[in-house]
Amino acid sequence: MKKKEPPKTEMPFLDHLEELRWRIIKCLAALILFTCAAFPATTKLLAFLTYPNASLAEPARLVFLKPTAMIMIRMEISIAAGFIVSLPLIFFQLWSFIAPGLLLKERKAVLPVLFLTVLCFALGALFAYFVIIPVMLPFLFSMGTEFIEATINISDYMSFVLRLILACG
């Protein structure tokens, strides 16, 4: 027996905009909340993100060159963590906004696609963290000479690591 489509009710354009506005506000509120909640954990997250360097036989010395550099790094890390943790709610809000306009067949296809997308992103990010970064760092640091030692600005290191993880994800 074929499932029936739920009855469609049309919304005026301004009602769609109002619903979208509230969904965006909920997403931003979740992002702010989770970002603030992640800030106390930035020390552990920083240790996790700098571990590939620390685990090298000859790790580069990580330094910061501006008085505000470490607070900015911690804020960037907490924003990234807050975004990652709030993604399920953001996806739910997006789905709740889009789903009423989809056919039943289209709605059934979304869950497997979403699952595979998240899985592929996570596998790519893990591949970058556990394979690419540990291979690239020694290679990049080997470009120095006996007179030029690797002392890396923490801002540049974090930018490199986070961009590589996101790009591979």
Side-chain angles (χ1 to χ4, degrees):
M1 188 164 140
K2 190 175 181 181
K3 288 187 178 180
K4 288 180 121 181
E5 292 287 325
K8 300 276 183 185
T9 58
E10 293 202 18
M11 274 177 112
F13 179 71
L14 291 178
D15 288 349
H16 278 289
L17 287 180
E18 181 70 15
E19 182 179 349
L20 179 61
R21 181 174 76 97
W22 280 109
R23 294 196 184 280
I24 290 171
I25 288 171
K26 289 175 187 175
C27 291
L28 289 175
L31 179 61
I32 291 168
L33 177 74
F34 288 124
T35 296
C36 292
F39 193 81
T42 56
T43 302
K44 289 182 181 179
L45 292 171
L46 189 60
F48 176 76
L49 291 170
T50 57
Y51 178 75
N53 177 60
S55 66
L56 296 175
E58 294 182 36
R61 186 168 168 242
L62 299 175
V63 298
F64 62 96
L65 305 174
K66 297 178 186 173
T68 59
M70 282 310 296
I71 189 73
M72 295 305 290
I73 291 290
R74 289 177 185 274
M75 287 172 56
E76 287 176 22
I77 291 172
S78 64
I79 289 170
F83 179 73
I84 290 169
V85 172
S86 64
L87 272 178
L89 184 114
I90 292 171
F91 285 149
F92 174 75
Q93 292 298 324
L94 181 65
W95 173 251
S96 296
F97 182 73
I98 293 172
L102 298 176
L103 300 172
L104 185 63
K105 183 171 81 170
E106 294 167 333
R107 275 186 252 149
K108 285 183 179 180
V110 169
L111 190 60
V113 169
L114 181 63
F115 174 75
L116 289 174
T117 302
V118 171
L119 179 67
C120 288
F121 179 84
L123 290 174
L126 290 171
F127 181 74
Y129 183 80
F130 288 108
V131 177
I132 295 176
I133 293 171
V135 169
M136 284 187 75
L137 288 179
F139 171 74
L140 294 172
F141 296 161
S142 73
M143 296 293 125
T145 66
E146 65 183 81
F147 305 109
I148 303 171
E149 154 189 2
T151 301
I152 310 297
N153 182 358
I154 187 70
S155 299
D156 295 335
Y157 175 84
M158 292 306 296
S159 177
F160 169 75
V161 168
L162 291 175
R163 285 183 185 177
L164 194 60
I165 289 172
L166 287 174
C168 290

